Amino acid sequence: MKGDIKRQLILVLLAVFLIVSVLIYQKQEPDVLKVGVFSGSNWGVPDGDSYAVIDEVIKTFEQEHPGVRVTYVSGIKKEDYSEWLAEKMLAGEAPDVFIVPGEDFNMYASMGALQDLTNYGDQDKDFSWSAYYPAALNYGRYDERVYGLPVASVPTLMFVNKTLLAQEGIGLPKNDWTWQDFLEICRRVTKDKDGDGVLDQFGVYDYDWKLAAVSNGVTMFREDGRASYFADHRMEEALQFMIKLHDAQRGREVTAKDFDMGRVAFRPFTFAEYRTYKPYPWRIKKYSSFEWDCIKLPAGPSGDNVSNLQTMLVGVSANSSHKELAWQLLKDICYRPEIQQMMLTKTQGLPARRDVVESKESQELFAANAPGCEEMDLRVVSEVMDKAVMRPKFKGYDEAMLMADTEIQKIIEGIVPFNNALNKLQKEINAYLQQ
């Protein structure tokens, strides 16, 4: 009898020991958060250390969250990332936190693959939506809910060949310049310099009707993407201006080579290109034969000195089993001030937080990396960001814009008469959008 009791006691103790061992083992097993990132720059410029920011985030996050491990797959190229992410989604293996490709955002938000972050942001006392630039934050909205936070943005600026303007006795335009100022300078500098009867100096390269439309206050599409506004009088003004600009260069097709050789006064540039090619060493490799700087885009009569804003988004998987932790990690990536400031030192983009961009420290960092700037500093860039326009994200946008671009180029080049052309285009685009 005593032997049976002793044996039962041993079995009970053994069972308790096993249960405790399992609990201890489970406690020792860390929670793992997976992050989806790609290598290289989001903005199409050289990038020497594309993992510097995420590595710093992981280091800090793991220190502040003992028992949590954060991992990512390295070596995924930007051009392959969208396909890689789609495959992970289909396999039910989506990362907990991941960069959301802009062209895929609406699709993922509408199909329920992205976690709605609205309530997380509303209820978090250590978070404020108002810290972000409006256009950057709106990039992560879908159906009036937030599904992605902005980590970095780049606006479009106007590159100015100061050497060419100086040779023509023209000063650097101010940041409040207008279409008329732009057109007059282009007319003055477009000429045959060597007298062989062929134009060899030009006003502008790569400036298109879309930039003109944005800087004239045009809203091209209804928010839901079911209607367009190409017949708006502000669009008419934009195309009339583009026709004058085209005529100023006498229909000559200006090339990238013309620009690189210093024969062109103006060219739109993203802020990422400005930050890459302004300092040494890329300046020497790319544009060392002439002095240059960047200013705001010229304003149309019904608009302002504004441009589109490209934004890099990060979201949380709706299927993550660690959503609270994922939200905290997302905040570290997209909201933490010291990480946001790393956008100025480790990437070519700009922080999405206004207070970080406008801080004294950021201004000093920017000035140290882009010496000799006369008109462009972070206060000016912040103004551009604050008024910037978000690129539409609805399904069919790229196809609609391709249709519009083909017809509008015909109008600008005089192939199609201007009269009533925009009304006709609007009807065609609307018919496509409503299919």
PDB file of all heavy atoms in Angstrom, residues 62 79 105 129 134 174 201-202 233 235 289 306 344:
ATOM      1  N   GLU A  62      14.320  45.435 -29.538  1.00  0.00           N
ATOM      2  CA  GLU A  62      14.612  44.211 -28.780  1.00  0.00           C
ATOM      3  C   GLU A  62      15.141  44.536 -27.387  1.00  0.00           C
ATOM      4  O   GLU A  62      14.855  43.802 -26.429  1.00  0.00           O
ATOM      5  CB  GLU A  62      15.600  43.340 -29.543  1.00  0.00           C
ATOM      6  CG  GLU A  62      14.997  42.703 -30.792  1.00  0.00           C
ATOM      7  CD  GLU A  62      15.964  41.787 -31.519  1.00  0.00           C
ATOM      8  OE1 GLU A  62      17.186  41.860 -31.250  1.00  0.00           O
ATOM      9  OE2 GLU A  62      15.505  40.991 -32.361  1.00  0.00           O
ATOM     10  N   GLU A  79      12.643  45.803 -57.087  1.00  0.00           N
ATOM     11  CA  GLU A  79      11.849  45.395 -58.243  1.00  0.00           C
ATOM     12  C   GLU A  79      11.226  44.005 -58.073  1.00  0.00           C
ATOM     13  O   GLU A  79      10.287  43.641 -58.784  1.00  0.00           O
ATOM     14  CB  GLU A  79      12.684  45.436 -59.521  1.00  0.00           C
ATOM     15  CG  GLU A  79      13.962  44.613 -59.488  1.00  0.00           C
ATOM     16  CD  GLU A  79      15.184  45.389 -59.044  1.00  0.00           C
ATOM     17  OE1 GLU A  79      15.035  46.348 -58.249  1.00  0.00           O
ATOM     18  OE2 GLU A  79      16.295  45.037 -59.489  1.00  0.00           O
ATOM     19  N   PHE A 105      -1.190  49.183 -52.480  1.00  0.00           N
ATOM     20  CA  PHE A 105      -1.819  49.550 -51.205  1.00  0.00           C
ATOM     21  C   PHE A 105      -3.336  49.377 -51.241  1.00  0.00           C
ATOM     22  O   PHE A 105      -3.917  48.739 -50.356  1.00  0.00           O
ATOM     23  CB  PHE A 105      -1.463  50.987 -50.836  1.00  0.00           C
ATOM     24  CG  PHE A 105      -2.226  51.491 -49.637  1.00  0.00           C
ATOM     25  CD1 PHE A 105      -1.864  51.096 -48.361  1.00  0.00           C
ATOM     26  CD2 PHE A 105      -3.321  52.329 -49.790  1.00  0.00           C
ATOM     27  CE1 PHE A 105      -2.579  51.542 -47.253  1.00  0.00           C
ATOM     28  CE2 PHE A 105      -4.038  52.780 -48.691  1.00  0.00           C
ATOM     29  CZ  PHE A 105      -3.661  52.385 -47.424  1.00  0.00           C
ATOM     30  N   TRP A 129      -1.638  61.728 -34.842  1.00  0.00           N
ATOM     31  CA  TRP A 129      -1.740  61.777 -36.307  1.00  0.00           C
ATOM     32  C   TRP A 129      -1.220  63.107 -36.851  1.00  0.00           C
ATOM     33  O   TRP A 129      -0.664  63.163 -37.954  1.00  0.00           O
ATOM     34  CB  TRP A 129      -3.198  61.612 -36.740  1.00  0.00           C
ATOM     35  CG  TRP A 129      -3.867  60.349 -36.315  1.00  0.00           C
ATOM     36  CD1 TRP A 129      -4.867  60.225 -35.397  1.00  0.00           C
ATOM     37  CD2 TRP A 129      -3.605  59.018 -36.789  1.00  0.00           C
ATOM     38  NE1 TRP A 129      -5.246  58.906 -35.267  1.00  0.00           N
ATOM     39  CE2 TRP A 129      -4.488  58.141 -36.108  1.00  0.00           C
ATOM     40  CE3 TRP A 129      -2.704  58.491 -37.706  1.00  0.00           C
ATOM     41  CZ2 TRP A 129      -4.498  56.770 -36.325  1.00  0.00           C
ATOM     42  CZ3 TRP A 129      -2.713  57.113 -37.927  1.00  0.00           C
ATOM     43  CH2 TRP A 129      -3.594  56.271 -37.243  1.00  0.00           C
ATOM     44  N   PRO A 134       0.168  66.216 -43.971  1.00  0.00           N
ATOM     45  CA  PRO A 134      -1.145  65.705 -44.394  1.00  0.00           C
ATOM     46  C   PRO A 134      -1.095  64.774 -45.598  1.00  0.00           C
ATOM     47  O   PRO A 134      -1.718  63.702 -45.591  1.00  0.00           O
ATOM     48  CB  PRO A 134      -1.931  66.989 -44.713  1.00  0.00           C
ATOM     49  CG  PRO A 134      -1.303  68.033 -43.857  1.00  0.00           C
ATOM     50  CD  PRO A 134       0.153  67.682 -43.809  1.00  0.00           C
ATOM     51  N   LYS A 174      13.214  83.065 -57.621  1.00  0.00           N
ATOM     52  CA  LYS A 174      12.825  82.896 -56.227  1.00  0.00           C
ATOM     53  C   LYS A 174      11.807  81.761 -56.108  1.00  0.00           C
ATOM     54  O   LYS A 174      11.227  81.323 -57.094  1.00  0.00           O
ATOM     55  CB  LYS A 174      12.222  84.195 -55.678  1.00  0.00           C
ATOM     56  CG  LYS A 174      13.182  85.376 -55.702  1.00  0.00           C
ATOM     57  CD  LYS A 174      14.406  85.117 -54.847  1.00  0.00           C
ATOM     58  CE  LYS A 174      15.343  86.315 -54.832  1.00  0.00           C
ATOM     59  NZ  LYS A 174      16.573  86.040 -54.039  1.00  0.00           N
ATOM     60  N   GLN A 201      20.661  75.059 -77.151  1.00  0.00           N
ATOM     61  CA  GLN A 201      20.474  75.442 -75.750  1.00  0.00           C
ATOM     62  C   GLN A 201      18.979  75.600 -75.497  1.00  0.00           C
ATOM     63  O   GLN A 201      18.274  76.172 -76.333  1.00  0.00           O
ATOM     64  CB  GLN A 201      21.202  76.741 -75.441  1.00  0.00           C
ATOM     65  CG  GLN A 201      21.077  77.171 -73.972  1.00  0.00           C
ATOM     66  CD  GLN A 201      21.950  78.350 -73.635  1.00  0.00           C
ATOM     67  OE1 GLN A 201      23.158  78.193 -73.458  1.00  0.00           O
ATOM     68  NE2 GLN A 201      21.362  79.538 -73.554  1.00  0.00           N
ATOM     69  N   PHE A 202      18.531  75.091 -74.334  1.00  0.00           N
ATOM     70  CA  PHE A 202      17.082  74.983 -74.132  1.00  0.00           C
ATOM     71  C   PHE A 202      16.657  75.421 -72.741  1.00  0.00           C
ATOM     72  O   PHE A 202      17.468  75.506 -71.814  1.00  0.00           O
ATOM     73  CB  PHE A 202      16.638  73.532 -74.363  1.00  0.00           C
ATOM     74  CG  PHE A 202      17.114  72.978 -75.675  1.00  0.00           C
ATOM     75  CD1 PHE A 202      18.290  72.235 -75.740  1.00  0.00           C
ATOM     76  CD2 PHE A 202      16.414  73.226 -76.837  1.00  0.00           C
ATOM     77  CE1 PHE A 202      18.735  71.736 -76.953  1.00  0.00           C
ATOM     78  CE2 PHE A 202      16.855  72.727 -78.058  1.00  0.00           C
ATOM     79  CZ  PHE A 202      18.020  71.986 -78.106  1.00  0.00           C
ATOM     80  N   HIS A 233     -11.482  74.284 -65.989  1.00  0.00           N
ATOM     81  CA  HIS A 233     -10.817  75.450 -66.582  1.00  0.00           C
ATOM     82  C   HIS A 233      -9.351  75.541 -66.168  1.00  0.00           C
ATOM     83  O   HIS A 233      -8.514  76.057 -66.913  1.00  0.00           O
ATOM     84  CB  HIS A 233     -11.549  76.744 -66.198  1.00  0.00           C
ATOM     85  CG  HIS A 233     -11.299  77.185 -64.782  1.00  0.00           C
ATOM     86  ND1 HIS A 233     -11.974  76.661 -63.701  1.00  0.00           N
ATOM     87  CD2 HIS A 233     -10.435  78.115 -64.281  1.00  0.00           C
ATOM     88  CE1 HIS A 233     -11.545  77.247 -62.590  1.00  0.00           C
ATOM     89  NE2 HIS A 233     -10.615  78.130 -62.909  1.00  0.00           N
ATOM     90  N   MET A 235      -7.371  72.965 -65.842  1.00  0.00           N
ATOM     91  CA  MET A 235      -6.663  72.078 -66.759  1.00  0.00           C
ATOM     92  C   MET A 235      -6.480  72.762 -68.114  1.00  0.00           C
ATOM     93  O   MET A 235      -5.426  72.617 -68.754  1.00  0.00           O
ATOM     94  CB  MET A 235      -7.419  70.757 -66.923  1.00  0.00           C
ATOM     95  CG  MET A 235      -6.742  69.774 -67.874  1.00  0.00           C
ATOM     96  SD  MET A 235      -5.113  69.206 -67.319  1.00  0.00           S
ATOM     97  CE  MET A 235      -5.597  67.850 -66.248  1.00  0.00           C
ATOM     98  N   SER A 289      30.095  69.717 -64.323  1.00  0.00           N
ATOM     99  CA  SER A 289      30.509  70.715 -65.318  1.00  0.00           C
ATOM    100  C   SER A 289      29.751  72.032 -65.181  1.00  0.00           C
ATOM    101  O   SER A 289      30.036  72.981 -65.905  1.00  0.00           O
ATOM    102  CB  SER A 289      30.319  70.152 -66.739  1.00  0.00           C
ATOM    103  OG  SER A 289      28.947  69.854 -66.978  1.00  0.00           O
ATOM    104  N   VAL A 306       3.579  74.108 -55.750  1.00  0.00           N
ATOM    105  CA  VAL A 306       3.443  72.799 -55.120  1.00  0.00           C
ATOM    106  C   VAL A 306       3.753  71.679 -56.114  1.00  0.00           C
ATOM    107  O   VAL A 306       3.862  71.910 -57.315  1.00  0.00           O
ATOM    108  CB  VAL A 306       2.019  72.588 -54.550  1.00  0.00           C
ATOM    109  CG1 VAL A 306       1.715  73.641 -53.503  1.00  0.00           C
ATOM    110  CG2 VAL A 306       0.982  72.631 -55.654  1.00  0.00           C
ATOM    111  N   LEU A 344      17.365  61.338 -42.759  1.00  0.00           N
ATOM    112  CA  LEU A 344      18.227  62.386 -43.308  1.00  0.00           C
ATOM    113  C   LEU A 344      19.690  61.969 -43.369  1.00  0.00           C
ATOM    114  O   LEU A 344      20.462  62.543 -44.141  1.00  0.00           O
ATOM    115  CB  LEU A 344      18.113  63.658 -42.463  1.00  0.00           C
ATOM    116  CG  LEU A 344      16.892  64.537 -42.721  1.00  0.00           C
ATOM    117  CD1 LEU A 344      16.814  65.638 -41.669  1.00  0.00           C
ATOM    118  CD2 LEU A 344      16.944  65.148 -44.115  1.00  0.00           C
TER     119      LEU A 344
END
